[in-house]
Structures are given as C-alpha cells and as structure tokens.
C-alpha cells in the first residue's frame, strides 16, 4: 500500500512540474502592465529609423531581378506638409544609395515604380522577401 501511495504522489509531482512552467507563461503579473519598453509612435521615433538596418544589396542582386513580384512601400510621405518633403538623410541611410542607376536599368523594377508614379531616384531601400518577392521602400521627392 505504501508503494502505491508513493507512486501516485510521484506521478502527481511529475505532472505538476511539467504543467507549471507552461501555466506561468500564460499568467500575467497583476502589478506589472504588459507594455513594450518603447513605443514606435513615440516622440523619438522617425519614419526612416528602420532603413539603416536593411541587408546590403549589390549590383548583381539588382541585375538578378527578373519577374519577381514587386511591392512598393512609401515611407515618410506626409501630404499635409506643404511643398517638398525633403528627407536628405533618408536616401543615404537606405541600402541603395549608390545603386539607383542599376535600378534604372532593370525593367522589372522600373515597371513597378512607374505604375505607381515613382522613378529610380525615389527608391530608398530594397529588401528581398519570402515567396520570391521584393519590397521597394520609396519616398516621392516632390509628392506629386
């Protein structure tokens, strides 16, 4: 009888020790709010902060773009500001600063840009994504 009780107690402890860590992930501390340590829309956030963290791109990468799906993402374009929205460092911080001429020679990229009213000088960064697609981060210099 003592062996059976000890075995049942041991099985209960093993089950509790396996379940308790997973329960702790679901439980929230009532005294601590669940807020991120920074806010992406806070006063220190700039629309181009992510551009300096893109993977490097070279001429051969751009020449290899043929029939991939191209997605355009306008950044730092605020039509409420009168006149030009000149973000000079935006174009330097991106990963295509010296690659705008090879972009201009790539028909796939230029067709996608022209379809939305952009040109090769509006490209800030280029990122290769899943599904053989490409994201072009663009900023229309004159906000046409």
């Amino acid at each position: 009888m003592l062996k059976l009780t000890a075995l049942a107690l041991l099985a209960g402890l093993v089950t509790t020790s396996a379940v308790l860590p997973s329960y702790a992930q679901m439980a929230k501390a009532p005294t601590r709010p669940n807020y991120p340590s920074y806010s992406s829309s806070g006063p220190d956030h700039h629309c181009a902060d992510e551009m300096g963290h893109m993977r490097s791109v070279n001429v051969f990468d751009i020449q290899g773009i043929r029939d991939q799906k191209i997605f355009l993402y306008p950044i730092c374009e605020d039509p409420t500001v009168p006149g030009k929205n000149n973000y000079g460092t935006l174009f330097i911080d991106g990963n295509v600063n010296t690659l705008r001429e090879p972009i201009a020679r790539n028909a796939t990229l230029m067709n996608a840009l022209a379809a939305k009213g952009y040109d090769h000088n509006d490209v800030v960064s280029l990122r290769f994504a899943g599904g053989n697609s490409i994201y072009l981060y663009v900023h229309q210099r004159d906000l046409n």
Side-chain angles (χ1 to χ4, degrees), residues 89-109:
T89 60
L90 175 66
F91 294 97
I92 296 169
D93 291 343
N95 64 357
V96 296
N97 185 30
T98 60
L99 300 172
R100 290 190 181 88
E101 289 306 314
I103 290 172
R105 291 188 295 268
N106 186 296
T108 303
L109 295 176

Side-chain angles (χ1 to χ4, degrees), residues 71-130:
F71 296 97
L72 300 183
Y73 286 103
I75 58 168
C76 300
E77 292 185 355
D78 186 0
T80 62
V81 176
K84 292 185 177 182
N85 252 343
N86 187 6
Y87 291 92
T89 60
L90 175 66
F91 294 97
I92 296 169
D93 291 343
N95 64 357
V96 296
N97 185 30
T98 60
L99 300 172
R100 290 190 181 88
E101 289 306 314
I103 290 172
R105 291 188 295 268
N106 186 296
T108 303
L109 295 176
M110 289 308 295
N111 289 337
L113 289 166
K116 299 286 185 172
Y118 293 97
D119 66 24
H120 63 286
N121 289 314
D122 295 326
V123 178
V124 175
S125 283
L126 182 145
R127 182 169 62 103
F128 291 91

Side-chain angles (χ1 to χ4, degrees), residues 2-142:
L2 188 57
K3 289 181 183 180
L4 186 58
T5 305
L7 185 60
L9 184 62
L10 183 61
L13 286 173
V14 168
T15 303
T16 304
S17 66
V19 171
L20 200 54
S22 63
Y23 176 75
Q25 290 178 349
M26 295 185 320
K28 293 184 179 176
T31 58
R32 239 179 42 206
N34 189 13
Y35 297 124
S37 61
Y38 66 95
S39 172
S40 63
S41 61
D44 294 335
H45 178 74
H46 186 268
C47 60
D49 285 346
E50 294 82 17
M51 293 303 104
H53 303 286
M54 295 278 182
R55 183 182 77 81
S56 296
V57 179
N58 62 42
V59 174
F60 300 111
D61 292 333
I62 293 173
Q63 290 172 345
I65 297 171
R66 297 277 184 247
D67 294 321
Q68 289 95 326
K69 179 74 175 165
I70 310 293
F71 296 97
L72 300 183
Y73 286 103
I75 58 168
C76 300
E77 292 185 355
D78 186 0
T80 62
V81 176
K84 292 185 177 182
N85 252 343
N86 187 6
Y87 291 92
T89 60
L90 175 66
F91 294 97
I92 296 169
D93 291 343
N95 64 357
V96 296
N97 185 30
T98 60
L99 300 172
R100 290 190 181 88
E101 289 306 314
I103 290 172
R105 291 188 295 268
N106 186 296
T108 303
L109 295 176
M110 289 308 295
N111 289 337
L113 289 166
K116 299 286 185 172
Y118 293 97
D119 66 24
H120 63 286
N121 289 314
D122 295 326
V123 178
V124 175
S125 283
L126 182 145
R127 182 169 62 103
F128 291 91
N132 201 24
S133 61
I134 298 183
Y135 294 167
L136 287 179
Y137 295 86
V138 294
H139 175 80
Q140 196 167 55
R141 298 171 321 279
D142 297 327

